[in-house]
Amino acid sequence: VLPQPYLYYNMHSLRNFQVRTLVRVSLALLLLLVWSSEALRPNDEEDPKNKLHTDKAEDPAKAGKGEIHIALSVRERIREDPNGYLHIGVALCMVGVAAVLPFTSRASELEMYAEKDAKLADSKASVGADFAAEAERRADAAANRSDDEDEPDEDAQGDQQIKPKAHAMRTGLAMGFVDVEFEKEWERDSLPKNMRRGAVLMSGAAVGMILDRVYHLWEIKTCTGHITNRRWIDIASLFVLVKVFIASMYCSFAKVPNHLVYWVIVVFFSIFFVLVNLPPLTPSCSDLQSMKDTCPAEEQDQIAPFFIAWIKRDCTLQGHTACQMCQLFLLILPYILPQFRQTHLALLWLVAAYLGTTWGYLWFYKDDEEETVHQSDVQLHTFLLVLTLGVSCAKKYFLEKGMRKQFVDDYSQKESSRKLYDIFQDMVPEHVIPRMLKNETIADPVNRVTVLFIVIADFDRFSSRMTPRELLKFLNQYFSKMDAICQENKVTKIETVAEEYVACVGVMPEDAGMPHSQLLPRLFNAADQILDLQTEEVKFKMGAHSGPIVAGVIGQKLPRFRLFGDTINTSARMMQKGIPGTLQFGVETRNDVPDSIPIKERGEVMMKGKGNVMAYVFDRETNKKTTSGQKTLSAPRASAARRSVTSMMLMNQPAEEEGNDNRQEEGDKVDKIIAELFVEKEQHRIILSQAQAFSDTEPLPPKMFSEGEWMRWFHHTTVVRKFLLRLNRQALLLAVVTLADVLHMEHVQAWKRPDKNTGLLNQTIGNDTLEQRDGRFTVFLTSRALCMVLILVWSYASRTSWMKHSPRSVQIGLTVTNTIVYGLLFLSYDAVVIPQIKRHFTDLPRVDIFNQQMSLVFVLGFFIVANTHPLLFYVSLVTIFAAALLIHFRDATSLYISNIGRVVFMCTAVLTTLLAHQSEQTSRARFKSRKKVAESQVRIEKTLNSLMPPMVLQELRLRTVGSEEMPAHPYKKATITQSDLCGFTALAATREPHEVVGFMGDLFGRFDELSDVYEVYKVETVGDAYIAGMAEAPLTYKNSPVAVVQFGMAMIQACHDWATNLGVNVKCRVGVHHGECMGGIVSTGMMRYHLFGEFMGAVDTLEATSREGVTQISKACKLAMEQFLNEEGKGRTLEALFPGLISRTDDKLTTSKGEVHEYSEVGGATFLIYASKEAAADSTKPALQAAQPAAVPTVAAAPAAAPAVATPPAAAPPAPTASGNTEGAAETAAKRGDQ
């Protein structure tokens, strides 16, 4: 038992469990042998007290016959005891049981692992379930096969996925984080919390000391004498203690306690806990004798406790009360010290303050026999205090270890939240992120913005002569530079679609209070720098317009921040009608342009829907002349361009270094936002403040944590984990201490000692006969044996399913067991202690004085039992009631605990509940952090997977750091669907813009849910068009043309249900194509995975020429579905899956706007899929054909030849605006405007 601290840190090399167990048992028995042969066998022949005891034998008649032979060895005294070998045999039997118990536990565990392995091998569950079961089996094995408390948690492997290696933690005496900077960050975070917690403990200690001083004043007032002259000393000490209490409370409530004040209080208590047990702060033995001699007879009963203290010599630094107070101080000192590595100061206190004062005290009173009566107990008390310090430091170690893990969890949660926050920042502006996380509908009107459209002029010329891979690299080259320029000039990037780039100023909240004329220079500077990127071959067309817009976020998957309103349409047309190499804008923008920006009037320009519009252009030549020699913003170097956090995370690249202040500010902002997801309002709560976010109700309220889930997590990670190890150690400690106590009882010949009817054994040993005196051993061994039986019962219960699945029952069972053990220990030590309450200590031999110290051993044993197994706070309150009950029965026992000692004992019980409170607080905080980390990780993965296909994401993460070329993937068997909303234009004309944004978000949210059901990948949303599909890896894990077509049919049905619920006339049409295309990532600022190629133009044509409520598929798609069904081999046919499938018989493919396309553009004949066979039959009737909607000639026809990049649907209704014109974003400018 004693070498446990050493073995704990230095036996990691002995990985064999049996060897470790045998070494521990052997060392424990060796120390026990040394103790029994040396410590318990004093040189009694030279001890005058033994002679004194012989001379003052209480029963002279028995002096010659029954005289106690102190000088005999333990072995000889065992032989004298008629039942000595039986007593030793029972104790050795308990030691043997405790030694064998770990081996039985190990055998049971091996059987359990073998059974789990067999079940896992026979299991036919999914791969994910097998993986989870294997992970659980490995976690259990790692947690239980090692008997080291310092093993990682069962979810350590999961933590490694989150925690950086630099945040690894050293364990042992040098506990700390490997990363020095991270250790400093931990200190900055934990030091104030630990100091506040220590200040609370010191406040309680101050209150206890104040009560002690008040009691001492009452003690002085009770009896007259020269001791009353010290009243002023007590009053002065009371004044100092009140000051200390106020200072401690100040530190406990301060956000950052004053270090100097805190350490002054610590030093004060470390000195005062010693001085309070010395004169003049406490009466000396001479003072107590003076009180006895001077007090009137009528006051004798009032001061009887003081007489007992004088008789027991509980008036020295080695008295019971002083030793108990030192025990209490050593129990709380590790928690007063802010860091575990400072616990060496507790050892320093023990050596310097306690032992130094002790030897000084003994030297000062060397001539006073009464004051030095406890001199022989210094070694025993020091041993007990060292053991107390070891127990307390062990609790401090595991408490700080848990707090460090909580800190890492919190840090991981912050990092995960920050990453999530950064991802959203790359997708949407910062100010809408909190509302997005709350799933709010975002549609904010902005009174004045300026939108900038940029397009690569004659892009078709580039796309026709470049391969898709070259085209992808070409776009990335320019868009990445535009990202850097916009960021440098504080211009908000909105989106990129094909060859278009959209940006804006004035949409951010910080721009709202500024005059718009102060914002335009940023936009013009950015435009000027972007135009500097032009070459002889590559030219840009730019257009800008100022006015009101509605800013909103569309989509659950792949969310987009979009602008809606006529300002967008006008800006796009300004770009379309612009001159390559110039920035063109209208009157609205001209009115806000400051005089410092040179402009030229271009004249009137004809624009569709606007008529002749006066246009102006940015005079770059004049601007360069006027700004010559002045400091201007130049285009940033490519190497200096900031890559988005998202791109760096995707490719496992280290994030850019930030200042600590900025990082902390950003972290606090992220914490505040993420906290809103779980708890809306923090309530001040002193007791278990961490429990306020937990609920037991079903269903679980939003933003709350499950109480039952936490209970199971706490039970599995804290109670069940290492339960057998703690139980085995408890059994070994109990057995060895029992053997030591039996040897001690034999040494003092307890079987010969009659009970004077002062203890609980008075009914058992009522007469002075040897037969009845042996009842002392009977009660002692029975009590200890019952304790061992309880341990064996729990050892068996720990291997049952009840232990794992009944956390509340286990808590109640452990509490009841602890209470029974308290009583059994109390009863057993009552049997050990020989009643000597009325006998003066100077009349006792050394071994009897040693016997009277067992109450101190009981107090330490009580604390160890109470803290062996983790208990919940409210359950641990039973410990206080149990301690109060034991104190109540103290007067009926042989155990001596003074009045002050009783208070100290109650403080020990209170300390146990405080530790349980802290443990539960830490556990709940860790659980919440882990849940938040898990939630953040899920959201991060979900967001990243919506940015691009998961396998592409994995490919990016495995890329070499610094690699510039983005991956591109050719797809040979891609099946892509595109939908469009018919009638949405008319609906948008009658609703407010924010309503239209809500409509699109709701409907596209339904489409997003369907994409998860059919496992298709959402490629993009363009206006009110929704594009998704499947292909071979890495686009999707499976490739089913049938599933894509079914998804298209499901979108039609979802749109029908949505429109029916709203009572509006909106229908969906769908086109599906199968063929070859190219996929790749565009831009580094807002990384997007796009599909390129003529194939995407065919998808657009199939959708545009489809009919309302109908899915049109190409011939290649039909053949791919037939091939897939044949290879599937399940007997399914197209006719059975799609009974409404018919061949299209029209001569030409015609859009709703009258545009005509040839069948050759989509690879041949097409097929229409109606909702049912009857609907397909009705569609062939002439009346129904005549009822088809007429073309709406509001937008000019798109070119018949589709470019080699993904384009928006030629016939798709444009996005809604406040004016009713539904063109809404960059896609409307590229293919639907006037060309």
Side-chain angles (χ1 to χ4, degrees):
V1 178
L2 297 182
Q4 281 295 324
Y6 175 80
L7 296 176
Y8 183 79
Y9 300 111
N10 296 280
M11 289 189 63
H12 293 292
S13 58
L14 295 177
R15 303 310 300 172
N16 184 276
F17 173 78
Q18 288 81 359
V19 173
R20 289 199 301 273
T21 302
L22 290 176
V23 169
R24 284 170 176 164
V25 173
S26 301
L27 289 175
L29 292 178
L30 178 61
L31 287 174
L32 180 62
L33 178 62
V34 173
W35 187 10
S36 61
S37 61
E38 298 294 338
L40 295 183
R41 190 178 63 185
N43 188 3
D44 297 299
E45 296 176 350
E46 299 178 2
D47 193 344
K49 298 178 186 178
N50 298 333
K51 184 176 184 301
L52 178 65
H53 173 65
T54 303
D55 295 339
K56 298 180 181 180
E58 293 181 9
D59 193 351
K62 297 181 181 181
K65 299 180 181 179
E67 182 179 355
I68 300 174
H69 303 285
I70 301 297
L72 296 177
S73 67
V74 175
R75 180 182 301 176
E76 293 171 343
R77 293 182 178 180
I78 293 175
R79 290 175 179 174
E80 286 187 6
D81 185 0
N83 298 318
Y85 288 106
L86 176 62
H87 301 157
I88 296 297
V90 173
L92 289 176
C93 181
M94 291 181 61
V95 174
V97 171
V100 173
L101 190 60
F103 295 92
T104 61
S105 303
R106 183 51 48 88
S108 175
E109 291 169 7
L110 293 177
E111 292 176 2
M112 179 181 64
Y113 299 141
E115 182 179 355
K116 283 189 175 183
D117 287 336
K119 289 182 179 180
L120 188 61
D122 296 338
S123 175
K124 302 300 182 182
S126 64
V127 175
D130 285 346
F131 179 80
E134 174 68 13
E136 180 183 359
R137 186 189 68 81
R138 290 180 179 178
D140 289 339
N144 292 305
R145 288 180 183 174
S146 172
D147 65 341
D148 187 356
E149 281 280 359
D150 201 28
E151 289 293 322
D153 285 347
E154 80 294 338
D155 49 1
Q157 294 180 354
D159 286 347
Q160 292 174 0
Q161 302 298 327
I162 301 174
K163 301 174 186 176
K165 291 183 178 179
H167 301 164
M169 187 169 62
R170 293 189 304 269
T171 54
L173 292 175
M175 180 168 56
F177 293 108
V178 175
D179 186 2
V180 177
E181 294 300 323
F182 194 67
E183 177 69 20
K184 292 180 180 178
E185 192 167 348
W186 145 259
E187 290 180 357
R188 287 192 296 268
D189 178 81
S190 65
L191 197 59
K193 299 177 183 177
N194 293 339
M195 292 177 70
R196 288 195 297 267
R197 188 180 302 112
V200 172
L201 284 175
M202 289 190 290
S203 301
V207 171
M209 287 296 181
I210 290 173
L211 294 177
D212 174 72
R213 292 296 89 198
V214 172
Y215 178 79
H216 191 219
L217 279 174
W218 173 84
E219 171 188 302
I220 295 175
K221 184 179 179 180
T222 301
C223 185
T224 57
H226 71 280
I227 194 172
T228 57
N229 298 328
R230 300 174 182 173
R231 179 178 297 133
W232 293 108
I233 297 177
D234 289 320
I235 294 176
S237 64
L238 268 175
F239 178 77
V240 173
L241 285 171
V242 170
K243 287 279 191 179
V244 170
F245 172 76
I246 295 174
S248 300
M249 293 301 295
Y250 163 75
C251 290
S252 64
F253 286 103
K255 185 175 182 181
V256 180
N258 186 288
H259 287 220
L260 179 61
V261 174
Y262 185 85
W263 283 106
V264 167
I265 299 174
V266 173
V267 173
F268 168 80
F269 274 112
S270 64
I271 297 174
F272 193 78
F273 259 93
V274 176
L275 295 182
V276 76
N277 296 291
L278 298 173
L281 293 178
T282 192
S284 64
C285 295
S286 301
D287 294 332
L288 291 179
Q289 185 176 11
S290 176
M291 290 177 63
K292 179 180 181 299
D293 297 335
T294 59
C295 281
E298 60 272 11
E299 297 184 9
Q300 294 291 325
D301 293 339
Q302 299 180 21
I303 60 173
F306 310 138
F307 291 160
I308 294 178
W310 173 68
I311 292 172
K312 303 290 291 186
R313 285 301 178 263
D314 191 13
C315 47
T316 70
L317 192 57
Q318 294 300 319
H320 282 71
T321 302
C323 193
Q324 268 191 274
M325 293 189 70
C326 290
Q327 276 186 315
L328 177 63
F329 182 69
L330 286 176
L331 288 176
I332 67 173
L333 184 57
Y335 305 100
I336 294 177
L337 298 173
Q339 304 291 340
F340 171 76
R341 60 173 170 267
Q342 296 167 342
T343 51
H344 68 276
L345 297 176
L347 184 61
L348 180 64
W349 175 88
L350 184 62
V351 174
Y354 177 76
L355 290 180
T357 306
T358 295
W359 292 114
Y361 182 87
L362 293 175
W363 176 83
F364 186 81
Y365 290 100
K366 60 180 180 293
D367 298 329
D368 190 337
E369 181 182 351
E370 291 189 350
E371 297 291 344
T372 59
V373 68
H374 287 296
Q375 181 174 355
S376 59
D377 296 330
V378 174
Q379 295 87 344
L380 173 63
H381 290 175
T382 303
F383 167 75
L384 290 177
L385 292 179
V386 169
L387 190 59
T388 302
L389 179 61
V391 172
S392 182
C393 288
K395 293 296 295 183
K396 170 71 173 181
Y397 173 82
F398 292 115
L399 179 63
E400 181 169 318
K401 180 183 174 185
M403 294 175 63
R404 285 178 177 270
K405 288 183 178 181
Q406 177 193 342
F407 176 75
V408 175
D409 291 339
D410 290 341
Y411 188 87
S412 300
Q413 181 248 320
K414 291 179 182 179
E415 286 297 302
S416 299
S417 301
R418 193 171 68 87
K419 289 178 182 179
L420 176 64
Y421 189 82
D422 290 336
I423 290 176
F424 276 121
Q425 276 188 309
D426 282 340
M427 301 175 66
V428 296
E430 180 180 353
H431 69 280
V432 303
I433 295 177
R435 299 166 62 188
M436 284 183 62
L437 296 177
K438 294 181 181 179
N439 296 321
E440 293 183 7
T441 299
I442 301 174
D444 301 328
V446 183
N447 293 330
R448 194 73 173 172
V449 301
T450 298
V451 181
L452 173 66
F453 271 77
I454 307 170
V455 67
I456 300 176
D458 297 328
F459 184 70
D460 290 345
R461 178 165 54 89
F462 296 100
S463 62
S464 62
R465 71 186 187 190
M466 292 183 181
T467 65
R469 189 182 299 273
E470 293 172 337
L471 185 62
L472 181 64
K473 184 177 181 180
F474 172 79
L475 290 175
N476 276 324
Q477 177 183 355
Y478 283 96
F479 285 170
S480 297
K481 294 178 181 178
M482 292 181 187
D483 289 342
I485 292 173
C486 286
Q487 181 183 356
E488 183 177 352
N489 290 280
K490 297 182 180 179
V491 176
T492 304
K493 175 185 177 181
I494 303 300
E495 64 179 336
T496 58
V497 178
E499 73 274 24
E500 295 177 357
Y501 191 98
V502 188
C504 179
V505 291
V507 74
M508 294 292 103
E510 55 268 23
D511 297 339
M514 299 177 61
H516 202 64
S517 58
Q518 296 182 13
L519 302 177
L520 284 179
R522 300 184 342 213
L523 185 73
F524 277 80
N525 282 335
D528 190 29
Q529 294 174 24
I530 291 174
L531 289 173
D532 286 338
L533 301 177
Q534 296 180 121
T535 64
E536 291 295 331
E537 189 176 11
V538 178
K539 299 292 183 182
F540 300 138
K541 293 170 64 177
M542 292 185 176
H545 187 68
S546 303
I549 55 94
V550 172
V553 177
I554 301 298
Q556 297 177 4
K557 297 177 66 176
L558 206 64
R560 292 288 190 269
F561 182 74
R562 298 287 171 81
L563 306 180
F564 302 90
D566 185 65
T567 301
I568 309 298
N569 305 329
T570 305
S571 178
R573 290 196 171 95
M574 283 291 178
M575 176 267 294
Q576 296 164 5
K577 295 296 184 177
I579 303 172
T582 62
L583 167 60
Q584 180 172 268
F585 49 91
V587 176
E588 288 292 330
T589 304
R590 170 67 183 85
N591 294 335
D592 291 328
V593 174
D595 296 337
S596 59
I597 298 178
I599 60 176
K600 292 190 303 185
E601 180 180 318
R602 181 187 176 190
E604 292 186 345
V605 178
M606 178 63 185
M607 293 187 181
K608 182 179 179 299
K610 303 290 183 182
N612 292 327
V613 177
M614 178 61 68
Y616 301 86
V617 295
F618 175 38
D619 188 357
R620 298 184 68 222
E621 297 296 332
T622 304
N623 182 64
K624 291 185 180 298
K625 293 178 182 179
T626 56
T627 58
S628 175
Q630 300 179 11
K631 182 178 179 180
T632 60
L633 292 173
S634 59
R637 300 184 303 273
S639 59
R642 174 189 176 271
R643 304 195 71 174
S644 71
V645 178
T646 305
S647 63
M648 289 186 286
M649 284 192 296
L650 292 180
M651 293 181 285
N652 282 337
Q653 294 187 9
E656 296 176 354
E657 293 296 330
E658 303 178 38
N660 290 332
D661 295 339
N662 294 336
R663 186 181 184 87
Q664 182 65 33
E665 181 180 352
E666 182 177 296
D668 294 341
K669 180 166 46 179
V670 173
D671 291 343
K672 182 178 179 180
I673 293 174
I674 297 300
E676 295 177 357
L677 299 177
F678 299 93
V679 182
E680 289 191 357
K681 185 178 180 181
E682 289 288 337
Q683 300 177 357
H684 182 68
R685 184 172 172 178
I686 298 177
I687 299 178
L688 289 182
S689 59
Q690 292 291 345
Q692 63 187 1
F694 289 82
S695 174
D696 240 346
T697 59
E698 293 293 343
L700 190 67
K703 303 179 182 180
M704 296 290 285
F705 300 92
S706 171
E707 179 74 15
E709 187 178 355
W710 168 78
M711 175 67 74
R712 291 187 294 271
W713 182 82
F714 172 80
H715 183 68
H716 180 66
T717 60
T718 309
V719 180
V720 175
R721 179 178 176 266
K722 305 294 184 184
F723 182 83
L724 282 175
L725 173 62
R726 295 192 299 271
L727 206 63
N728 295 338
R729 288 178 176 175
Q730 190 178 35
L732 183 60
L733 178 62
L734 174 67
V736 173
V737 172
T738 299
L739 180 58
D741 289 338
V742 169
L743 292 173
H744 168 72
M745 294 176 70
E746 293 290 348
H747 189 68
V748 300
Q749 293 185 316
W751 59 280
K752 283 186 177 182
R753 299 295 186 97
D755 196 325
K756 301 302 181 181
N757 294 334
T758 57
L760 294 175
L761 300 176
N762 58 347
Q763 300 298 325
T764 304
I765 315 174
N767 299 318
D768 191 14
T769 62
L770 294 181
E771 291 78 7
Q772 291 178 324
R773 292 177 198 164
D774 198 52
R776 185 184 301 277
F777 276 99
T778 302
V779 172
F780 172 78
L781 291 175
T782 301
S783 301
R784 295 298 174 88
L786 288 176
C787 292
M788 183 62 72
V789 169
L790 290 174
I791 292 177
L792 294 177
V793 170
W794 276 105
S795 179
Y796 171 78
S798 65
R799 304 163 194 175
T800 63
S801 59
W802 171 82
M803 181 70 181
K804 291 186 176 181
H805 303 108
S806 304
R808 297 187 186 275
S809 300
V810 171
Q811 286 287 315
I812 295 175
L814 288 174
T815 305
V816 172
T817 302
N818 283 354
T819 306
I820 295 174
V821 172
Y822 301 151
L824 293 174
L825 285 178
F826 192 70
L827 189 62
S828 66
Y829 277 108
D830 175 64
V832 171
V833 176
I834 308 300
Q836 303 285 358
I837 296 294
K838 301 296 185 180
R839 191 169 182 180
H840 200 283
F841 251 44
T842 56
D843 297 338
L844 296 179
R846 177 178 175 181
V847 70
D848 277 11
I849 295 177
F850 176 85
N851 178 262
Q852 301 301 301
Q853 313 299 317
M854 289 301 173
S855 59
L856 300 176
V857 179
F858 166 73
V859 172
L860 180 59
F862 176 88
F863 182 81
I864 292 175
V865 172
N867 290 275
T868 296
H869 300 292
L871 295 177
L872 298 177
F873 169 67
Y874 288 115
V875 175
S876 69
L877 292 175
V878 177
T879 305
I880 298 179
F881 295 103
L885 188 63
L886 295 176
I887 288 299
H888 175 72
F889 285 107
R890 201 282 309 166
D891 292 333
T893 70
S894 301
L895 293 174
Y896 170 72
I897 302 178
S898 66
N899 290 337
I900 297 297
R902 298 185 190 192
V903 177
V904 173
F905 179 66
M906 290 300 300
C907 291
T908 303
V910 171
L911 179 61
T912 297
T913 62
L914 291 178
L915 293 177
H917 181 272
Q918 181 60 37
S919 176
E920 183 172 341
Q921 283 279 84
T922 302
S923 178
R924 288 181 181 272
R926 287 188 63 200
F927 177 81
K928 291 197 295 185
S929 295
R930 288 172 178 271
K931 290 292 288 185
K932 291 179 181 180
V933 168
E935 178 85 8
S936 299
Q937 289 296 316
V938 168
R939 296 193 180 199
I940 286 175
E941 292 300 325
K942 185 177 180 180
T943 304
L944 292 179
N945 289 337
S946 70
L947 289 175
M948 57 194 63
M951 284 183 282
V952 177
L953 179 65
Q954 185 65 21
E955 180 182 350
L956 281 174
R957 287 174 169 172
L958 297 176
R959 284 168 56 85
T960 304
V961 176
S963 178
E964 294 294 334
E965 185 176 354
M966 290 293 179
H969 310 100
Y971 297 109
K972 301 295 183 181
K973 298 179 180 180
T975 306
I976 305 299
T977 181
Q978 179 172 306
S979 67
D980 188 36
L981 303 179
C982 306
F984 200 79
T985 301
L987 174 65
T990 62
R991 302 299 177 98
E992 294 295 326
H994 69 274
E995 293 183 277
V996 178
V997 174
F999 290 158
M1000 295 184 66
D1002 184 16
L1003 184 56
F1004 281 2
R1006 300 186 183 205
F1007 290 174
D1008 290 341
E1009 294 176 358
L1010 291 174
S1011 68
D1012 291 334
V1013 173
Y1014 291 95
E1015 301 180 65
V1016 301
Y1017 175 71
K1018 178 182 178 181
V1019 178
E1020 183 61 275
T1021 57
V1022 181
D1024 55 0
Y1026 192 100
I1027 307 172
M1030 287 184 174
E1032 60 270 32
L1035 187 66
T1036 54
Y1037 289 102
K1038 76 174 187 177
N1039 188 10
S1040 171
V1042 174
V1044 177
V1045 176
Q1046 289 176 327
F1047 169 70
M1049 298 293 292
M1051 284 195 293
I1052 294 174
Q1053 183 61 43
C1055 180
H1056 176 268
D1057 296 340
W1058 172 81
T1060 302
N1061 292 336
L1062 289 178
V1064 297
N1065 184 23
V1066 175
K1067 296 182 180 180
C1068 180
R1069 63 174 178 233
V1070 175
V1072 187
H1073 189 36
H1074 181 86
E1076 299 181 7
C1077 66
M1078 174 67 68
I1081 297 173
V1082 176
S1083 180
T1084 58
M1086 288 187 178
M1087 301 180 72
R1088 300 289 186 267
Y1089 192 81
H1090 293 286
L1091 299 180
F1092 300 87
E1094 295 181 359
F1095 169 84
M1096 298 304 296
V1099 175
D1100 175 60
T1101 301
L1102 286 168
E1103 174 270 306
T1105 58
S1106 184
R1107 299 174 183 174
E1108 295 181 2
V1110 178
T1111 299
Q1112 181 173 221
I1113 64 174
S1114 64
K1115 179 179 179 180
C1117 181
K1118 181 174 181 295
L1119 294 176
M1121 286 196 295
E1122 292 174 345
Q1123 182 181 358
F1124 176 82
L1125 294 175
N1126 290 334
E1127 294 176 354
E1128 185 184 42
K1130 294 183 179 180
R1132 298 192 299 171
T1133 62
L1134 284 182
E1135 290 74 14
L1137 291 174
F1138 307 105
L1141 175 64
I1142 61 174
S1143 176
R1144 186 163 187 171
T1145 58
D1146 299 332
D1147 295 335
K1148 301 285 186 179
L1149 295 174
T1150 306
T1151 69
S1152 60
K1153 295 179 174 57
E1155 301 171 10
V1156 179
H1157 295 270
E1158 300 293 335
Y1159 282 102
S1160 59
E1161 296 179 29
V1162 295
T1166 63
F1167 301 85
L1168 301 176
I1169 304 179
Y1170 287 83
S1172 64
K1173 189 173 183 180
E1174 293 74 15
D1178 292 342
S1179 68
T1180 60
K1181 297 179 180 180
L1184 291 179
Q1185 292 179 354
Q1188 290 183 0
V1192 182
T1194 57
V1195 180
V1205 294
T1207 61
T1217 68
S1219 65
N1221 189 334
T1222 59
E1223 295 178 341
E1227 62 273 9
T1228 61
K1231 303 302 173 187
R1232 299 182 187 174
D1234 301 329
Q1235 300 270 344

